[in-house]
């Protein structure tokens, strides 16, 4: 190696482990490995490239070629991070425009059409990104394969398949509403909301705790170990080695236990990546799930309200009725910040992290709506827009909003404690358990 090349390598900034596929990238990071050909048992070459698919996730592209017998194989494997909870989307298709929604289905995702009693086979398959109409047309194409042979060998089965295909084709005309369900225990599938940032009344999103069967499908052990506790942990910052959720490079995660006055003990976790600069933090309750849910409503009447401390747990949803805005549970994770900080995080999430709201393919009216909405949020965060309400609804009872009048009652804040519904118990993974009041 020459002196110039050594100097170049030293001065070059580190690159992310997973890199975008761009035309200007004339030096793709490809790893070549000598490996055995299963066809002729001679050695061939396997090439691996770690990259990102826009609007989807990190993947590993592998390509094998054998120069001896000509055998070749191409594969794409996911390298994304499995979500903390599974996710289920229930979309009511009411008009043909709904068929144009973009759908991301991970390799663990499966879909169903209850109106036809059709359900996709559950199991690890290849990940796909397509429109809803594209997925339905793919079902039709797969069913039409070998239909000619079936008509000769098993005409009864072929006739039933033809009848089902006709029903499916009729659904694509959307003569009447039907339901499309996408279920993914890994939490990495998605259905587009064309009304974002407003709530999509036709799309129901359910986050749920994975079952033992789901964990087995994902390759996780279903056995859970009780965490070790130590009083000294409250005075320590724990360090863990992990991988960056953005670029996949090795990174360090830190954890600290903290007591919030007038509330409870929480665990603050933070991660920073030296490779791509990504930083994130999350807060979780250190006392488990409360016996009842909690809803907190605050009326913003003064710019000083923006400095109130707020703890939004991972199970908490947030609404701003005046803007017809709802942040569903699980979005942004757990946050311990001020109201201003949370609003700015929402703006960042909407403007830079939503795969369907950024890029050249976004329609102009969608960009305009998004900018107008972010401007309204920014006005609230800057204290320029008052008399709006912020509603926190946490079925786990682990969210908190600072009462600046404590120990007196806050005249602008309302706290409601309520009994959870069955659906909320399912979401929290405590369906069938009896919760006793915290001592």
């Amino acid at each position: 190696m020459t002196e110039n090349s050594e100097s170049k390598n030293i001065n070059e900034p580190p690159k992310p482990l997973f890199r975008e596929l761009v035309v200007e990238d004339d030096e793709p990071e490809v790893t070549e490995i000598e490996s055995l050909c299963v066809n002729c048992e001679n050695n061939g070459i396997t090439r691996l490239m770690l990259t990102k698919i826009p609007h989807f996730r990190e993947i590993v592209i592998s390509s094998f070629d054998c120069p001896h017998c000509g055998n070749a194989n191409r594969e794409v494997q996911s390298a994304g991070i499995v979500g903390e909870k599974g996710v289920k989307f229930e979309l009511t298709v009411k008009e043909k425009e709904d068929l144009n929604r973009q759908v991301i289905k991970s390799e663990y995702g499966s879909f169903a059409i209850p109106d036809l009693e059709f359900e996709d086979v559950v199991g690890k398959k290849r990940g796909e990104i397509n429109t809803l109409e594209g997925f339905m047309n793919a079902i039709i194409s797969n069913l039409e394969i070998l239909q000619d042979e079936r008509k000769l060998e098993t005409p009864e089965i072929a006739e039933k398949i033809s009848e089902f295909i006709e029903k499916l084709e009729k659904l694509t005309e959307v003569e009447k509403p039907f339901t499309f369900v996408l279920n993914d225990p890994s939490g990495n599938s998605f259905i587009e909301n064309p009304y974002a940032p407003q709530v999509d009344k036709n799309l129901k999103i359910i986050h749920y705790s994975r079952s033992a069967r789901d964990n087995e499908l994902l390759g996780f052990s279903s056995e859970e170990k009780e965490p070790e506790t130590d009083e000294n942990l409250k005075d320590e910052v724990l360090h863990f080695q992990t991988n960056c959720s953005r670029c996949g490079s090795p990174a360090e995660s830190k954890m600290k236990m903290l007591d919030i006055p007038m509330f409870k003990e929480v665990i603050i976790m933070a991660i920073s990546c030296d490779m791509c600069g990504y930083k994130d933090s999350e807060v979780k309750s250190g006392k488990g799930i409360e016996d009842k849910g909690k809803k907190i409503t605050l009326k913003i009447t003064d710019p000083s309200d923006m400095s109130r401390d707020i703890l939004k747990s991972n199970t908490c949803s947030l609404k701003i009725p005046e803007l017809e805005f709802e942040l569903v549970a699980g979005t942004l994770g757990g946050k311990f910040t001020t109201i201003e900080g949370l609003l700015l995080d929402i703006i960042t999430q909407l403007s830079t992290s939503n795969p369907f709201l950024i890029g050249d393919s976004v329609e102009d009216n969608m960009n305009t709506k998004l900018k107008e909405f972010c401007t309204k949020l920014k006005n609230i965060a800057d204290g320029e827009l008052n008399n709006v309400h912020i509603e926190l609804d946490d079925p786990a009872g682990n969210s908190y909003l600072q009462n600046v009048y404590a120990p007196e009652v806050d005249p602008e804040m309302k706290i409601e404690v309520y009994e959870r519904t069955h659906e909320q118990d399912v979401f929290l993974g405590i369906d069938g358990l009896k919760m006793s009041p915290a001592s």
Side-chain angles (χ1 to χ4, degrees), residues 289 291 420 422 425-426 428-436:
I289 298 174
D291 59 313
R420 283 187 291 267
H422 174 72
D425 283 341
V426 172
L428 296 175
I430 58 173
D431 181 32
L433 298 180
K434 292 184 179 180
M435 303 296 295
S436 58

Side-chain angles (χ1 to χ4, degrees), residues 14 30-31 39 60 63 67 71 125 137 141 143 155 162 164 168 179 219 268 288 290 302 305 319 358 375 423-424 431:
V30 178
T31 302
N39 187 41
V60 178
S63 171
N71 182 33
K125 305 175 287 296
N137 288 335
S141 299
L143 291 174
S162 296
F164 181 83
L168 196 56
T179 303
I268 299 178
E290 296 292 329
D302 190 86
D305 288 327
K319 292 182 180 180
I358 57 177
T375 300
E423 290 77 11
Q424 289 173 327
D431 181 32

Side-chain angles (χ1 to χ4, degrees), residues 66-83:
C66 178
H68 304 284
C69 66
N71 182 33
N73 184 36
R74 310 287 184 264
E75 284 188 34
V76 176
Q77 297 179 348
S78 169
I81 305 299
V82 175

Side-chain angles (χ1 to χ4, degrees), residues 129 192 227 243 245 301 337:
I129 177 171
E192 178 187 8
N243 291 94
S245 59
T301 58
T337 178

Side-chain angles (χ1 to χ4, degrees), residues 267-299:
I267 301 174
I268 299 178
M269 295 174 289
I271 183 174
S272 61
C273 178
D274 296 332
M275 189 66 69
C276 67
Y278 173 72
K279 294 182 179 180
D280 192 22
S281 61
E282 189 170 354
V283 179
K284 293 183 178 294
S285 170
K287 295 294 184 180
I289 298 174
E290 296 292 329
D291 59 313
K292 293 184 178 181
K294 181 188 294 185
K295 181 178 180 181
I296 306 173
T297 303
L298 174 68
K299 182 179 181 181

